[in-house]
């Protein structure tokens, strides 16, 4: 069974930092696209950051310069370093993987909650 398991969420004050991790199976980790999405209460799920198999990364404008997506190939783990957090970053964060495209996600994690207080 292919799995993506997130960890690292929690509560932090505005201006603080958190580092999310997503441990993947070898199969999902090898996919073309790995990504972080988030969904706040009452809002649609939105893309946060993508990292392609080539190593190229893209970010949503709202997190650019504050968040960094990265991978540890030795541990099949995807990371999201989040700095300068603000209350608008409060959401459930999901790890995701797409076999051939970041526009077509094939696997989702169960999510990890991030709460930022002012």
């Amino acid at each position: 069974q292919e799995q993506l398991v997130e960890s690292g969420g929690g509560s932090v004050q505005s201006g603080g930092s958190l580092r999310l991790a997503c441990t993947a199976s070898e199969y999902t980790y090898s996919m073309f696209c790995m990504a972080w999405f988030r969904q706040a209460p009452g809002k649609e799920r939105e893309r946060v950051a993508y990292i392609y198999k080539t190593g190229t990364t893209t970010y949503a404008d709202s997190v650019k310069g504050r968040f960094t997506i990265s991978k540890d190939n030795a541990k099949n783990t995807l990371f999201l370093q989040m700095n300068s957090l603000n209350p608008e970053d409060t959401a459930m964060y999901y790890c995701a993987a797409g076999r051939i495209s970041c526009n077509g996600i094939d696997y989702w994690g169960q999510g990890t909650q991030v709460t930022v207080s002012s």
Side-chain angles (χ1 to χ4, degrees):
Q1 181 177 358
E2 306 306 332
Q3 286 188 323
L4 296 167
V5 181
E6 301 98 333
S7 61
S11 297
V12 64
Q13 289 192 327
S14 186
S17 298
L18 283 173
R19 188 191 195 201
L20 305 184
C22 171
T23 302
S25 68
E26 189 168 342
Y27 176 65
T28 50
Y29 191 79
S30 69
M31 290 187 175
F32 178 74
C33 171
M34 294 198 76
W36 289 98
F37 288 76
R38 67 185 181 187
Q39 187 168 19
K43 294 187 177 181
E44 293 186 355
R45 185 156 50 190
E46 63 172 348
R47 170 184 67 92
V48 175
Y50 293 158
I51 184 165
Y52 299 89
K53 200 169 183 176
T54 57
T56 301
T57 58
T58 63
Y59 297 91
D61 288 342
S62 58
V63 307
K64 205 171 291 184
R66 300 187 298 123
F67 290 12
T68 302
I69 189 171
S70 63
K71 298 169 70 176
D72 184 336
N73 294 332
K75 297 181 179 180
N76 287 0
T77 301
L78 177 73
F79 296 102
L80 185 68
Q81 177 67 44
M82 305 186 294
N83 299 328
S84 301
L85 286 161
N86 58 64
E88 290 69 39
D89 296 315
T90 295
M92 184 71 79
Y93 282 72
Y94 297 91
C95 175
R99 287 183 299 114
I100 58 173
S101 170
C102 288
N103 294 321
I105 296 297
D106 295 288
Y107 296 97
W108 294 92
Q110 82 288 351
T112 185
Q113 178 67 38
V114 171
T115 302
V116 184
S117 58
S118 57

